[in-house]
Amino acid sequence: AHGAVSVVTKFSAIVNRGEKIVLVGRNGLGKTTLLKALLAGSDATPGLDASPADISAGTVRWGHEVSIGYFPQDHTGAIPKGLTAIDWLHQFDPAASRQDIHALLGQMLFSGEEGLKPTAGLSGGETARLLFCRIMLQKPNVLVLDEPTNHLDLESINALNIALQRFEGTVLLVTHDEDVMEEVGTRVWHFEAGVIHDFKGTYEEFASSVA
């Protein structure tokens, strides 16, 4: 529920390991609200900024040994100022060598000395890419990604697309990027006013079914 209005009612689903679910529907119909409700039902991964207030009814049961990587739509303030990119990342895996962290940053298109950049000076795209580095460092088996392509350039979107296709875990994804939806999604949750239709097929099959 959102305030006094129920955003999603009577929705029930079982998600199996390895499924990649794309959430589609107009803005304002509850996609972010549903993701936050799912996270609020999870004690699987600390530090997800999930609040118990984000779910007003119903239950969410996560599988045994699930660990979640969450990319929020709004990442204002997600990375505190006063650190370098490397130092901020390092705290999530103190055992990682600086070489490992540099390699990870390189995978997310931070070249050379860019890892020494102060976090206060990061652009929107750099912040997004650094949040992905954190997720990669935490090695989750479930990814919950809310509009991850918003601040990314084409090269970064392509890298993300390929990484999601190769990822062996479970994905819940909100994006407006049709290539990512078509190439990643194996199942679609289609939001209409107050209702979610669960389409068990690829985004491409879903799109041709509603065309």
Side-chain angles (χ1 to χ4, degrees):
H2 199 60
V5 182
S6 283
V7 175
V8 175
T9 54
K10 296 184 179 164
F11 177 64
S12 176
I14 292 171
V15 178
N16 295 310
R17 185 168 60 189
E19 287 196 284
K20 295 174 181 174
I21 300 174
V22 181
L23 284 64
V24 301
R26 283 185 299 107
N27 287 346
L29 291 180
K31 299 186 294 291
T32 294
T33 305
L34 179 68
L35 292 183
K36 286 188 165 179
L38 294 175
L39 294 171
S42 158
D43 54 5
T45 310
L48 288 178
D49 309 324
S51 152
D54 285 329
I55 186 166
S56 59
T59 53
V60 177
R61 210 165 67 231
W62 289 92
H64 189 48
E65 295 188 346
V66 159
S67 65
I68 300 166
Y70 174 47
F71 186 94
Q73 185 181 102
D74 177 13
H75 33 74
T76 317
I79 299 177
K81 298 179 170 127
L83 297 161
T84 64
I86 282 185
D87 289 337
W88 180 77
L89 262 187
H90 206 249
Q91 63 192 345
F92 298 103
D93 186 357
S97 70
R98 288 184 90 74
Q99 204 174 354
D100 291 341
I101 302 269
H102 264 297
L104 196 57
L105 285 162
Q107 277 180 274
M108 282 315 294
L109 312 177
F110 286 93
S111 57
E113 298 302 298
E114 284 182 351
L116 301 173
K117 198 165 183 171
T119 50
L122 295 172
S123 69
E126 287 168 332
T127 300
R129 298 202 320 264
L130 198 52
L131 289 171
F132 278 117
C133 286
R134 177 178 74 175
I135 289 172
M136 288 155 74
L137 201 56
Q138 292 171 320
K139 299 186 176 67
N141 50 26
V142 174
L143 297 177
V144 177
L145 309 177
D146 194 356
E147 297 281 12
T149 58
N150 273 1
H151 293 280
L152 300 182
D153 58 25
L154 202 53
E155 191 182 359
S156 305
I157 291 171
N158 287 339
L160 176 65
N161 188 342
I162 291 163
L164 289 177
Q165 289 177 59
R166 288 183 184 158
F167 181 64
E168 291 178 3
T170 306
V171 179
L172 291 160
L173 172 68
V174 176
T175 181
H176 291 295
D177 189 291
E178 294 237 341
D179 287 342
V180 175
M181 287 196 246
E182 285 181 7
E183 290 166 36
V184 173
T186 64
R187 181 173 175 183
V188 178
W189 287 352
H190 178 218
F191 285 64
E192 291 188 307
V195 181
I196 301 173
H197 304 286
D198 187 357
F199 181 86
K200 292 186 170 120
T202 65
Y203 177 76
E204 225 164 337
E205 289 166 338
F206 163 76
S208 58
S209 78
V210 292

